[in-house]
Structure formats: structure tokens, C-alpha cells
Amino acid sequence: MRHSDVREEGASAQADGDIPAGGAGAPGTVPPPRGGSRSAGRAGARPAGRGRRRALRWISSVLSLLILGTAAAGYLYYRHLNGSIQTDALNLGENKLGGSKPNAFGQTPLNILLIGSDARDDAENQALGGATDTFDGPPLADVQMLLHLSADRTNMSVISMPRDTMLMMPKCTEPGGKVHPASKGLVQTNESIQRGGPGCTVAAWTELTKIPIDHFMMIDFKGVVRMADAIGGVPVCVEQNVHSRTRDGKGSGLKLPKGTSVIQGETALQWLRTRYGFEDGTDIGRTHAQHQYMNSMAREFRKNAKLSNPVKLNSLAQAAIEAMVVDTGLNKIDKLFDLSMELKKVPPGRITMTTMPWIYSSKPGLDGRVEPKPGEAEDLFRMVREDISLDGQGSGSPSASASPAATGAPASPSAPAQQPSTAPTAAATAAPPAKIAVLVRNSTGSKDGAQSRVNGRASEVAALLTGKGFTKVVADRQTAAEDTSVIRYATDAQAADAAAVATALGLPAGSVQKSDQVAGIVVFVGNDWRTGGSPAAPPPAPTKAPDSAHALNGDNDQACMPIQPGFTW
């Protein structure tokens, strides 16, 4: 069964159709720029009957970061590019989580959502992307990868979400006030960008994973071609001769001989967009090919001496900046430079690429679409939330020295921690319990409606806190639905007090979140705490990514794509 796109809930399917025959040029060549610039405005809803969307699958978001990191201090010369950086709001949803929290050693992880937009809103992207019926139409977020940089900077994890994943979309509000209501049914994840911009894609990930996302980077077609050329090519491998072309003209047009080839330019774009011809012809195989390319590109950046050429660096910087849209927290060259320096600390052997575990959807009308796999997808998300490396090697390295806590050494962003990271309790700076005002809200109903709310739970938990000396506790009459109990607070000054409340209730430090949706400290008693005087202890956290995540290590230079029957030559 093949994957394909859908529009809104229950709408008609879109096809993959990559670069059409006779398209933008011969493999390995890049058409010259044809003018035009990225549109500053957002596209509206796509007209009915617009035609079939051609899907983009590539990962130059990560490549941009690696490029910036490789260039080192030379990038500080490019401050004049600041005015070219395009920005958009980070999170348009209501659940913002407040960003990543430092661990017990004062080290803070980073979570960056990498988005590949298939926008065809300028001449160069249109020449590369084909699909003339979609020119200047609303884009799709056809690549979504969450990059997690560990707090101790020893490892990096990447989780890809298949573009055919069906999710409930959260409410998203644009900065100008336009509201996109929460969906009433499942929506294909790549349509999230049409609900106000990349900030709604971030909101959808936040809602699904409960992972605080610190930044996003969104890249378009032309960035792939320019950067693949600048690096001088990327080695990739196929198990047989492959030609991605169906009898009716679909496919990327990729044509490679068996074994290893060094690809660049449009051939690199074809590789990253190829679906027909890899594995079983689904979007999942395409994701695996992207991971092989990303790892290979990272290795090339590490060893390619050509990037010391200032002319080449300037061209590469210009290409990356012109192709990117970032959140407002990355609106300066020096901010991008600092971020890239953090990413560069991780050796390829500690980079782990994974695909979100998935199952085929059983919902009517969603044949070929997928949903997060119960249990295993959450295990993967939990490992990122708790800063546990996906490769099973833990933090630091086998020869790492003792932790800062043991040696008395000062903590630093790159200092290795010797245990999974947790948020700081900050209890030492909290006010006395009798002076901490707390609101307790009954949120025991499950979000999917499968379980109803337990009456009286807000009052019961408020009484627990009162018995522990918190005399300014009120049971809220409002209700909510939270699958997991959480404590949210409004300002940095309330962080220590909120952590003290969590300690008193026996909730983990990671359940404490900063949020602009509350006015003070609010305990949301979730569906995981329906009875009893203390929440149930969570099961032990996984120590390695599940097999269904199809993990690929960054040092693996032997990966080779299986070829779908019927696509050889």
C-alpha cells in the first residue's frame, strides 16, 4: 500500500509525483537563478480542485546548521546578512511549555524543529519543483524532523515524522489575531503549516510529544541544490541500479547505478525526494534515504577542506540565509553561529537518526496513512523529554570523568553529565509552603474522551497540599483534560515555588512547565492520577530507541538503500 497526501479531514488524496520527465535539468546540474524572492506573506487556503500536490522530502535544515558550524569564526563577517534573515513566530498554539529546562548541573538541552517547505513561490523553486498547478499556492510542511541536542552536548537525536501521519491539529492563533480552530478530526501533519505558518507545525509537535521546542528552521527547494553543490557532493549507495520513474510519469527522475555515487545539485534533490524506487515505494523508505544522506553530508562537512575557502563560504552562507525562515530567537547571524557551534560539538558517531514508530491508520478513508504507534512512539518522545540518548550509550563517553557534582567543577554547556538529565527542582529558593498560592484543577478526563472526569479530584488533591502546609490552596471550578499530571506557572519568579509544589505531591521535576496560559501556579490533576494520595510511579524510561524507530548511526558509512522491484534498469 502506498502512502499519499490528503487535504483537510476526509478530503481527497494528493499524489506524490516528484520531478516530471523533462523537468528542471539533467541529473547533477543546477539551473541558473531565475529571479524572484521568497514571498513575505502566507498563502491562504488552497482552492478546491487545485490538482495534485507534489511532495518534497529533504533535510537541508540540518545541513544549513552543519554548514554554519563548519565555517567557524569566518561567519562573523557576514553580519550584513542579518537583514536577509526571514523570521516567523515560534509557536502559535496555546501549549508553549516554556522552553527546555536545565538539568541538575545547569546544562540545558536544545530542541529544534526542522521543517522542509515545498513552497513554489519563486522562479528558482518552481524550476526545481515542477507541479505547475501548485505554483504560488499554500505550501506543505513535507519534511518534519525534531533535532535534540543533549544537555551535555555529547549526543544528538533526530526524530522524523512521516508526512502521511494523521494528527489532531491544535488551535493556532496568528500574531495578527486570526484563529485557526482545533481540528474536529484527523488532519495530515504536513498541512499544519497552512494553519498560520511554521509556528502551527511547532504547536502540533508540542501537543503530540510534550517536548518543549526552542527553535525552528524552515528551508525551501533551492537551498538543497545550492548547498549540495557547495560541499562538492555527497556519497550515497543503492543496492541495485535505480530509476525513479513510473509508467505514468511519476517519480523523482533519480537514475543511479548500483553501489556508491557522489551526488550533488539537482541529483541530490532527486535523491531526497525519491519515493518510487526505494524500499516498498512508500514515504517511509524516503525517510530512510534522507537519513542516509544526512549522515553522509555531516561526515563530508567534517572532512572537506574546501570549506576553508572564504569565497565558497560566502556563497554557502548567502545560500543558507536566503533559503531559511527561522523563529525570532534566531534572527541574527551571531545567534545562528552560536547555535551551530553547539551542534558541532557532537561527533558523527553520537548522532542517531530515527523515524517515529507508526502504524497504518484504521480510520475509514485513511488507507495508506499512518498514526503514531501506541507505546513505542511515546517511548521515543519520552527519551527526548528526559534527555536520554537514543543510541543506548548514555551521556558522556566511556572515558568521561566524574560529574561536576562529584568533582566540584563548575558546570558548563559542554560538560558531560553522568545520568539522564532532569529539570532542576530549585526547591532551595522556594518560599515557605504557607506563602505559595496554588490553584488545583481537575483534569482527569482523557483528551480522547475515552475516560470521563473523576468528580472531586481537585478538592482531594487540594486537601493533600493543605496537609503539607500549603494553606493558600484553592480547588478550581474549571476543568480541563490532561493525560499526564502537570504543574504550570506563569513567571520565572514562580519557578522555584512550582517545583516545591511538585516535590510535595511526588510529581517528577519534568512535570513543571512555564506557560503563558496561566496567571499563577496551577496543578492540573491528570488522567494518570485518578485516585490515591500520590501519582502512580511511571514505568522505567527506555535506554535505547525501539527497533521500530529504524535507528541509523552517524558513523555508519555502509548504509545502502534497497530498491523497489520494477524500478531497476
Side-chain angles (χ1 to χ4, degrees):
M1 186 176 295
R2 299 186 187 277
H3 293 289
S4 58
D5 285 351
V6 295
R7 305 307 303 171
E8 277 295 325
E9 305 138 23
S12 60
Q14 306 163 347
D16 171 36
D18 299 314
I19 298 175
T29 64
V30 186
R34 304 191 182 184
S37 61
R38 186 181 181 89
S39 172
R42 295 195 187 95
R46 185 176 182 179
R50 171 61 108 137
R52 298 163 64 177
R53 168 68 70 176
R54 308 219 173 174
L56 165 67
R57 300 298 296 174
W58 43 264
I59 40 68
S60 59
S61 307
V62 174
L63 310 185
S64 299
L65 292 173
L66 292 171
I67 288 166
L68 290 170
T70 305
Y75 267 52
L76 295 179
Y77 288 109
Y78 303 134
R79 293 182 181 274
H80 66 278
L81 293 176
N82 280 337
S84 301
I85 297 177
Q86 302 167 85
T87 63
D88 213 326
L90 174 61
N91 188 336
L92 300 180
E94 296 181 310
N95 187 7
K96 294 183 171 59
L97 300 186
S100 296
K101 308 294 191 300
N103 64 15
F105 307 121
Q107 304 162 323
T108 305
L110 277 173
N111 297 308
I112 306 164
L113 188 63
L114 310 169
I115 304 170
S117 162
D118 72 347
R120 294 170 174 86
D121 54 4
D122 64 37
E124 190 172 356
N125 280 324
Q126 290 170 0
L128 290 168
T132 57
D133 61 332
T134 67
F135 285 5
D136 299 317
L140 293 169
D142 265 347
V143 173
Q144 298 176 38
M145 294 184 177
L146 181 66
L147 185 154
H148 172 78
L149 181 63
S150 67
D152 61 16
R153 304 302 189 253
T154 62
N155 64 88
M156 183 188 301
S157 304
V158 178
I159 300 176
S160 293
M161 183 184 294
R163 70 145 192 226
D164 293 340
T165 303
M166 305 301 294
L167 301 174
M168 298 294 291
M169 286 293 154
K171 174 184 175 182
C172 289
T173 305
E174 297 185 33
K178 181 178 179 180
V179 175
H180 302 263
S183 66
K184 296 180 180 179
L186 295 175
V187 176
Q188 191 153 306
T189 183
N190 62 354
E191 295 183 33
S192 58
I193 198 172
Q194 298 178 2
R195 300 168 63 84
C200 198
T201 306
V202 170
W205 272 81
T206 301
E207 196 68 29
L208 173 67
T209 67
K210 306 301 184 292
I211 296 170
I213 295 176
D214 304 291
H215 299 292
F216 76 78
M217 300 185 74
M218 183 170 71
I219 315 291
D220 64 8
F221 276 139
K222 59 181 176 281
V224 178
V225 172
R226 292 180 182 179
M227 288 183 281
D229 281 345
I231 191 64
V234 178
V236 295
C237 179
V238 291
E239 292 183 355
Q240 297 174 272
N241 297 346
V242 63
H243 187 199
S244 178
R245 180 70 68 211
T246 66
R247 291 182 178 179
D248 57 355
K250 297 178 182 178
S252 71
L254 178 73
K255 189 172 185 180
L256 292 176
K258 176 182 177 180
T260 299
S261 299
V262 177
I263 61 174
Q264 60 187 104
E266 189 178 339
T267 308
L269 180 61
Q270 290 174 330
W271 174 276
L272 294 166
R273 300 180 67 203
T274 293
R275 162 183 163 183
Y276 300 120
F278 286 160
E279 296 186 356
D280 60 356
T282 69
D283 184 57
I284 306 302
R286 174 161 43 193
T287 299
H288 298 160
Q290 291 167 3
H291 291 168
Q292 181 189 142
Y293 183 94
M294 182 187 297
N295 280 342
S296 184
M297 176 71 94
R299 292 191 297 270
E300 289 301 301
F301 277 127
R302 295 271 177 169
K303 67 183 181 182
N304 195 317
K306 293 180 181 178
L307 289 181
S308 62
N309 183 326
V311 175
K312 187 174 289 289
L313 284 176
N314 182 68
S315 174
L316 198 51
Q318 191 80 37
I321 294 302
E322 290 180 353
M324 283 195 305
V325 179
V326 298
D327 66 276
T328 53
L330 294 176
N331 63 349
K332 300 293 182 183
I333 292 295
D334 54 354
K335 294 180 180 179
L336 289 168
F337 173 80
D338 290 343
L339 174 59
S340 66
M341 288 297 98
E342 293 298 295
L343 293 169
K344 193 183 177 186
K345 294 175 181 177
V346 181
R350 295 304 311 276
I351 299 174
T352 306
M353 308 286 177
T354 63
T355 302
M356 179 194 75
W358 54 272
I359 56 171
Y360 282 110
S361 178
S362 60
K363 308 293 192 305
L366 296 182
D367 293 346
R369 291 12 172 243
V370 302
E371 297 179 34
K373 186 175 184 178
E376 293 185 17
E378 169 56 24
D379 284 346
L380 201 64
F381 301 152
R382 181 182 176 186
M383 291 181 73
V384 170
R385 287 197 303 266
E386 299 184 14
D387 199 25
I388 301 171
S389 61
L390 300 186
D391 59 10
Q393 297 185 41
S395 299
S397 62
S399 61
S401 58
S403 69
T407 64
S412 69
S414 58
Q418 301 302 305
Q419 59 191 42
S421 301
T422 57
T425 63
T429 59
K435 294 186 177 181
I436 300 176
V438 184
L439 192 66
V440 181
R441 186 168 298 171
N442 187 343
S443 306
T444 52
S446 59
K447 285 191 172 183
D448 61 7
Q451 289 184 292
S452 59
R453 196 168 52 252
V454 177
N455 291 332
R457 281 303 285 161
S459 297
E460 291 172 359
V461 173
L464 287 175
L465 279 173
T466 301
K468 295 177 180 291
F470 291 82
T471 56
K472 294 184 176 181
V473 180
V474 175
D476 193 4
R477 293 185 179 181
Q478 294 187 48
T479 58
E482 297 284 347
D483 292 331
T484 304
S485 298
V486 63
I487 298 175
R488 297 192 174 108
Y489 62 93
T491 68
D492 290 339
Q494 297 167 338
D497 292 349
V501 174
T503 300
L505 291 175
L507 292 172
S511 67
V512 180
Q513 303 170 353
K514 184 179 179 181
S515 172
D516 60 5
Q517 301 303 308
V518 295
I521 298 173
V522 182
V523 177
F524 293 81
V525 185
N527 185 251
D528 62 338
W529 192 10
R530 297 173 65 85
T531 61
S534 60
T543 58
K544 187 178 180 181
D547 292 342
S548 57
H550 200 86
L552 180 65
N553 182 270
D555 266 347
N556 183 356
D557 59 2
Q558 302 300 309
C560 205
M561 285 302 296
I563 302 306
Q564 184 182 7
F567 288 86
T568 58
W569 54 276

